[in-house]
Amino acid sequence: MAGLMAFGLFAAIGLALMAGFPVAFTLAGVALIFAGLGVMAGTFDPVFLEAFPNRIYGIMTNETLIAVPIFVFMGVMLERSKLADQLLQSLAQLMRGTPGGLGLAVIVVGAMMAASTGIVGATVVTMGLISLPTMLNKGYSPAVSAGTICASGTLGQIIPPSIVLVMLADVLSNAYQQAQLQLGNYRPETVSVGELFAGALVPGLILVMAYLLYVTILARARPALMPPDRAADDEQVSMGRLLLLASGPLFLIVAVLGSILAGIATPTEAAAVGAIGAMMLARLGGHLSLETLRNVVYRTTRITAMVFMILIGASLFSLVFRGFGGDHMISNFLTALPGGVFTAMVLVMTVMFLLGFVLDFIEITFVVVPIVGPVLMAMGLDPIWLGVMIALNLQTSFLTPPFGFSLFYLRGVCPDSVPTSAIYRGVIPFIAIQLMVLGMLAVWPSLVTWLPGVVYPG
């Protein structure tokens, strides 16, 4: 009976989310309803709910999660600095005449913005407003243009400093400690944000190179889709100006990511430095005012409140799910699969990929990972490798129709002449590239584990 209640809890939450109810209140509300039903049926011990206040207190005092609102502030402020606009225009002019030059410029600038802001939505909207009209005017295919912008915007999911990686590191650290306790290690180690940043850096760069290679091949094989821009332009862009424009994002990358990997600053401290740096860049660009600061703080508060409310709701859900013995059901099921850890990993990755069609990465991170993470790591999987594999898999949730957030972001800013079907067609090749890179990391785990081993020996 308890097993049926656990399964019903998961199914009811999935149906409620697909019906459009708010995520945080759906997780908490449905969990409480099932807890009440379980108490009346004698299948749920209400003592599990006594741990909920401690979980909320743990979220409030978690120093790692303090980095989330600061990184959000940094990203929103950098969006206001208009650096991406100037950098994209200059790079596109410099690459004039190159097949697919504008598409390549979009990917490069998207990667730099990802490494500077870590916010997918801000990057997609900014790149859509800046580059989509230009790409369409230059004769680029609407599908190719939309796919390139969406894919480059989602690089903020995997390229550090990523807000997703910060949240995933916290969830994985708790899961890793549970796995070690199950194995009899009563002095469990943790997974730090810096280790996950280091593990995701090389895969992120591989993904950028794969995007660039695809656009280059497509532009040469089918030039009608991405014609080179050979129009004369009186404004000439020098390499010096391009480097000057790029120096701002590069400064933030070095200040934030470099200080974390070098062990000089914690992620929260580095995020604070990045926030100040973003304000300085906005001030130098003439875009910092009291009204701008008010808008940035307002957007930061809204995004942060959403993230933490989902985290609180997910904490209540996990308590009720464990109260019904759902964690033991999942553990027994995965460990009993033929093929052992390989089959279990393939199944979990497949389920996460399919969930990405209908759920946001935040729900998957806070709901699914705490359930399957301890089981997989108890079976011997490296936590850093597992975290990067999950992050790259969840990145596809931004691109997969019908509920991919990047698709919604771009749909909101693109003209009516670009149909939604064109956006869907455009992202399919990039989803395939992400899955290909995911397969590479599965075959060669050292692509993930090498850099953390160098930066954090032992």
Side-chain angles (χ1 to χ4, degrees):
M1 184 64 179
L4 290 177
M5 293 290 286
F7 177 79
L9 170 62
F10 217 101
I13 285 179
L15 292 175
L17 291 176
M18 286 188 284
F21 290 100
V23 175
F25 303 111
T26 296
L27 290 171
V30 175
L32 282 177
I33 291 173
F34 269 77
L37 294 175
V39 171
M40 289 188 293
T43 58
F44 181 81
D45 188 348
V47 74
F48 278 92
L49 297 179
E50 295 179 4
F52 186 53
N54 289 332
R55 291 213 171 186
I56 296 179
Y57 183 75
I59 294 171
M60 294 169 56
T61 58
N62 191 319
E63 294 186 6
T64 300
L65 293 178
I66 296 176
V68 173
I70 306 177
F71 273 129
V72 172
F73 179 91
M74 182 183 76
V76 177
M77 181 61 72
L78 192 62
E79 175 193 354
R80 299 279 178 162
S81 70
K82 306 298 181 183
L83 268 177
D85 190 350
Q86 302 173 15
L87 186 59
L88 181 62
Q89 291 179 4
S90 300
L91 189 58
Q93 291 175 5
L94 191 67
M95 301 183 70
R96 183 186 296 111
T98 303
L102 186 54
L104 297 175
V106 168
I107 293 174
V108 171
V109 175
M112 294 188 67
M113 292 298 294
S116 304
T117 66
I119 301 179
V120 171
T123 305
V124 172
V125 170
T126 301
M127 301 298 288
L129 291 171
I130 297 169
S131 58
L132 184 58
T134 304
M135 297 176 83
L136 296 177
N137 291 336
K138 298 297 183 182
Y140 275 55
S141 161
V144 172
S145 303
T148 303
I149 292 171
C150 285
S152 62
T154 60
L155 291 171
Q157 172 95 348
I158 191 67
I159 296 180
S162 164
I163 297 174
V164 179
L165 293 177
V166 174
M167 295 186 291
L168 189 58
D170 181 68
V171 174
L172 276 176
S173 183
N174 293 330
Y176 188 40
Q177 292 182 59
Q178 292 180 34
Q180 293 175 88
L181 290 173
Q182 293 175 12
L183 296 175
N185 180 8
Y186 296 105
R187 298 183 61 185
E189 300 175 355
T190 60
V191 178
S192 69
V193 176
E195 289 175 313
L196 203 56
F197 279 3
L201 188 56
V202 172
L205 295 176
I206 292 175
L207 194 60
V208 173
M209 297 303 297
Y211 285 174
L212 293 173
L213 182 61
Y214 165 72
V215 170
T216 301
I217 294 174
L218 182 64
R220 294 185 181 277
R222 303 185 64 183
L225 297 178
M226 308 177 73
D229 181 15
R230 304 188 185 279
D233 195 328
D234 295 334
E235 183 180 356
Q236 299 296 321
V237 178
S238 64
M239 183 61 71
R241 171 174 169 75
L242 185 63
L243 292 176
L244 180 63
L245 291 173
S247 62
L250 290 175
F251 164 74
L252 286 183
I253 294 171
V254 173
V256 176
L257 185 57
S259 61
I260 294 174
L261 296 182
I264 300 174
T266 66
T268 303
E269 294 167 345
V273 172
I276 297 298
M279 294 178 64
M280 293 172 57
L281 293 176
R283 181 67 182 91
L284 292 174
H287 298 285
L288 181 61
S289 63
L290 186 60
E291 182 64 23
T292 299
L293 187 61
R294 184 182 296 113
N295 291 334
V296 170
V297 171
Y298 176 73
R299 287 186 58 189
T300 301
T301 304
R302 288 193 60 182
I303 295 173
T304 304
M306 176 197 69
V307 170
F308 278 84
M309 282 304 300
I310 293 175
L311 179 54
I312 291 172
S315 296
L316 182 56
F317 162 79
S318 65
L319 278 175
V320 177
F321 188 74
R322 285 196 170 94
F324 285 121
D327 54 339
H328 294 296
M329 290 174 50
I330 297 294
S331 177
N332 295 335
F333 173 73
L334 291 178
T335 53
L337 287 173
V341 66
F342 173 79
T343 306
M345 182 65 179
V346 171
L347 179 62
V348 169
M349 289 290 107
T350 303
V351 170
M352 285 188 176
F353 176 74
L354 295 177
L355 287 176
F357 282 80
V358 293
L359 298 180
D360 182 34
F361 73 95
I362 299 179
E363 294 99 89
I364 300 175
T365 299
F366 289 149
V367 175
V368 180
V369 176
I371 296 174
V372 301
V375 183
L376 294 176
M377 285 183 280
M379 296 174 73
L381 293 183
D382 182 88
I384 304 299
W385 177 79
L386 178 62
V388 174
M389 291 286 286
I390 291 175
L392 187 57
N393 194 351
L394 292 182
Q395 185 176 343
T396 61
S397 67
F398 280 94
L399 298 178
T400 47
F403 301 120
F405 270 48
S406 288
L407 311 180
F408 287 151
Y409 293 140
L410 187 61
R411 177 71 272 175
V413 298
C414 69
D416 295 335
S417 58
V418 180
T420 302
S421 59
I423 301 177
Y424 288 175
R425 291 197 311 272
V427 299
I428 290 176
F430 293 97
I431 294 175
I433 291 173
Q434 291 185 3
L435 295 178
M436 179 193 69
V437 175
L438 194 66
M440 291 176 58
L441 301 185
V443 175
W444 296 294
S446 58
L447 293 173
V448 175
T449 58
W450 170 75
L451 187 57
V454 172
V455 178
Y456 302 96

